[in-house]
Amino acid sequence: MFSGLKAMAARILASWRSGDLDRDFARELDSHLAMLVEDNLRRGMSPGQARRAALIRMGGPASLMERHRAERGVPVVGDILRDLRFAVRLLAKDRWFSAAAIATLALGIGANAVGFTVVNAVFFRGLPVEDSDRLYILSWQQRSGRRSNVSYAELENWRAASRTFAGLAAYSDTSFNISDDRALPEQVPGTRLTANAFGTIRQPVLLGRDFMPADERPGSDPVAIIGQGIWISRYGADPTVLGKTLRVNGREVTIVGVMPEAMNFPDRSEIWVPFIPGGDQQQQTRSLRVFGRLRDGVDPREALSELNGIGKQIIAAYPESTKDLVGVRVETFITRFIGGAGRPMFITVMGAVIFVLLIACANVANLLLLRSVHRAREIAMRRALGATRWRVVRQLLLESLVLASLGGLGGLFLAFLGVRVFGAAMQPSGLPYWIRFTVDPVVFAYVAAICVVTAILFGLAPALHVSKTASHVVVKESGRGTIGSRRERWFSSGMVVVELALTVVLLAGSGVMIRSFLALYAVDIGVDVDRLMTMDLQLPASRYATAESRRAFVEQLEPRLAAIPGVEAAAVTTGVPGRDGGERLLETERAVGATGAPSVHVSTVTITPRFFEAAGVRLVRGRNFQDFDGAPGAETVIINERLAAQFFPGEDPIGRRLRFTEREPPRATPVDAWRTIVGISGSILHGSSLDLYQNAVVYIPYRQEPASAASLLVRTALPPGSVMESVRRQVQAIDGDQPVQAIRTLAQVLSGDRWWYRTWGGVFAAFAIIALLLSSVGLYAVMSYAVTQRTQEIGVRMAVGAQPQHVSWLILKRGLAQLTAGLAIGLAAALGLTGMLRLGLTDVGPHDPVTFAAIATLVTVVTLAACLVPARRATRVDPVVALRAE
Amino acid sequence: MTDKKSEILQGTLDLMVLKTLDAMGPMHGYGIALRIEQLSEDALRINQGTIYLCLIRLVQKGWIKAQWGASENNRKAKFYDISKAGRKQLQAETENWERVSGVIGRLLQLARRSG
């Protein structure tokens, strides 16, 4: 009931401001009593009588006050709130201690919140649409375990048969050249999708309308929906954009809608057009990603078994075209796109931030313990006056909770900053649009939970420890409170060892990660990247339908580029150095004869003859491509040294023949013609991911395979920026709709490709620095406190003639023991843990000795410094002062 | 006093206070106590101070509002006034009370006749 809730809230509030309410009620009773007395006097009583009678009639103020308190408040809440106020007062008094603890916790919790934000964004949040957990991606499962896209004909089949999905939609990612009379043509990532796609994910448009079934009928007027990015950059966010026309791949389309900000479904799209199934061939090509929304109340497993049933029927009906398919996969977007490679990374990040938090906790626990010595008398007094141990523990835990909450607030603030920096660092990445690193309510809940957990983690041990103290021990003590000092020293030493061990593990883990990322990041690709410029070239089928037209474009373009002053060489390729043009299965002529011949995946790159000149790489043997290479009858290839070594060890590959094949070639495809090796090139690393860098490469003449998606590679003598405009002019002189943008140096392209390594390397470096900082501060605090505590003892020793070195050694000894224990435990744990960090990426082994040695040295130096400074101070203590120290 | 008895008393007292404030307008605690003593004709013998337990309860439920002001004799006193929610509650409670007392009354009459 509403009034019940209201009353409860009022009661809790009343417990908090009990003092004010007491005073208010006392005044009220006073006024009541005064009026009663007045009335009594009027009735003729003597003042004494009047007062006595009034008190009897009203009831005793003290007992009324007690009952009033019980009536208006909640007894336990009242107690806790009193404790809380006490805690806040104490923490405010111990300003420096509190600041140190809160800052430490803020760092720990902040790092944690950043880590969790990332993990949350990648693994849990999903698409930013209504009920995104009901959206599933459907794909074929191949015999090889890989997924396969779906053809339009199959989609129609699934649509007709499925009852578990409230609608199946599909998309196919691509990029479009867009142009109009307003601005320069540009190439943007875009998507073709079925008309029901946005309806299925429940993504409304910002302006205009969604696609309609009529839009996807063959022969209908072409329409497009644009993203907010294009809307702003090309139309200045003009609301009358609807109905305007835009050329997409050279074809006029009408803009019917605008999507809201940061909506780039399914990946990074800026523009969407309806998928219009064309002829028979397009219907059969498996180019679509199919997704759907589960009907309410349907379990995903139900959907999976239904789809598998439907899939089996299709496989049975079309055995020829489906022979490598075994079933259907039904997965969430997260599983589909993140599973695999990202997972260990994010889990590792989470592990690292938890280590940072544990180190922070160990630090604060130690601080609390040191402080508790000062409080021993207070606590002993409370116990002596009858407080139960539980009551004392509760009080101390509450203080921890206050610290943790304040630390959490600071942590949230740091997290906001950290997430922003991290988000900016991830900007040039290939992450899908729905992964956005923002602090959301889930993160808040996580931070709140973390606060409670840390409060218990760092607060419980010291609280139990202190509260155990027998009261009589301390009250007798003189004030410096050496309560059970042996036990306490053990505890404190234990925390230092734990902290050291945690730091070593974290540093070792981060170190190995950072080293491997650096190794990958700095990998040499075999060319001088600073003087190479590249630009994507997209020759859309609507304008360049035939191989001849594409070849003609390129043949026209190359001499024009080469004529630009400052340009030394220009070529067209499907794989600029650092990237490749696709993997294919290769077999050599000799191997075909042998049974069980090995066919191996190699990188293939299509190039025009001046590619090697532009890249600045020499041919090791044989000749370069000529203009006639690639013409029918002149099928030739150039291979790289690695391929030569792999397939033709100890022989001359020139003149030998190879061809490409497929594991299970589709019926229609003719067998690839034999291609003759005419040259061997020096090594350039190609590969779409760095894992493939070591691959063997086959170069194919562009004349033979004029790809519609390729890149320009231009070598300049001048700074690349100065020739960009000329390149733009030459390209558009041939085709005005051809976008020329994102002309970048190869160095820029590569750093974009390697954001992953750079970013994670940076993240781990940041965690490592925070951890090192926290534990150095912690060690220093504990060590110097230990010295302060022993001031008297040191004074006595010095007074009776101890040498400074001897005293220093006394202090150092304990630090060294802790260091040895911490290092031993930490290194052992680190060896075990980093073994699990094998991310399959590196030359750097998980037990990289260099990293381990560096970390052991670093931790030793920091610890020794933390011991030496207090030790030196100890020897300077004036014995007289020390002896007086109380 | 047993708990049950006090519960009944509590409910009755709440209703009486609400009714009093509804009928008489804003009053201070002393005034309310006098009024209830007068109405109950000594059937309800309680300490006057007990009225404040009832008042704070009603305030926390949001049925009455309290404000410091000056009494007839220009003495500082806390005045209570019934709120909108309080009026609604009073009406509901009154109907409830009438229904229950009607039922009990008929029951008792029946019992008397048959007995």
Side-chain angles (χ1 to χ4, degrees), chain A residues 24 28 32 38-39 57, chain B residues 30 37 52 75 78 80:
Chain A
D24 189 78
E28 195 170 11
H32 186 115
E38 241 168 66
D39 281 358
R57 203 157 157 211
Chain B
Y30 180 56
E37 275 176 352
Y52 290 105
R75 186 178 289 287
K78 205 173 189 181
Y80 295 88

Side-chain angles (χ1 to χ4, degrees), chain B residues 93-105:
Chain B
E93 282 290 313
T94 312
E95 279 164 16
N96 192 30
W97 183 265
E98 278 164 1
R99 201 172 56 242
V100 170
S101 62
V103 169
I104 304 261

Side-chain angles (χ1 to χ4, degrees), chain A residues 85-151:
Chain A
R85 283 209 303 208
F86 183 57
V88 170
R89 263 210 305 279
L90 269 183
L91 293 175
K93 213 181 87 196
D94 269 356
R95 208 162 301 128
W96 287 110
F97 159 80
S98 306
I102 290 169
T104 306
L105 287 170
L107 271 178
I109 293 176
N112 230 274
V114 173
F116 181 77
T117 302
V118 172
V119 169
N120 178 44
V122 173
F123 288 126
F124 299 113
R125 210 147 45 164
L127 261 58
V129 295
E130 208 180 299
D131 292 335
S132 65
D133 55 331
R134 304 291 291 166
L135 289 174
Y136 284 83
I137 289 212
L138 287 64
S139 27
W140 285 111
Q141 165 89 46
Q142 292 180 326
R143 193 161 281 122
S144 63
R146 291 194 188 185
R147 304 176 185 88
S148 161
N149 287 342
V150 180
S151 74

Side-chain angles (χ1 to χ4, degrees), chain B residues 98-114:
Chain B
E98 278 164 1
R99 201 172 56 242
V100 170
S101 62
V103 169
I104 304 261
R106 275 198 301 283
L107 190 78
L108 292 179
Q109 256 173 11
L110 257 168
R112 197 175 309 150
R113 237 177 267 154
S114 64

Side-chain angles (χ1 to χ4, degrees), chain A residues 665-704:
Chain A
R667 190 183 29 164
T669 322
V671 178
D672 192 37
W674 287 108
R675 303 164 188 242
T676 310
I677 298 170
V678 297
I680 302 172
S681 75
S683 279
I684 300 174
L685 294 176
H686 288 278
S688 51
S689 83
L690 292 172
D691 309 343
L692 301 174
Y693 263 162
Q694 301 306 323
N695 266 17
V697 181
V698 177
Y699 295 98
I700 302 162
Y702 187 82
R703 188 187 175 97
Q704 187 171 349

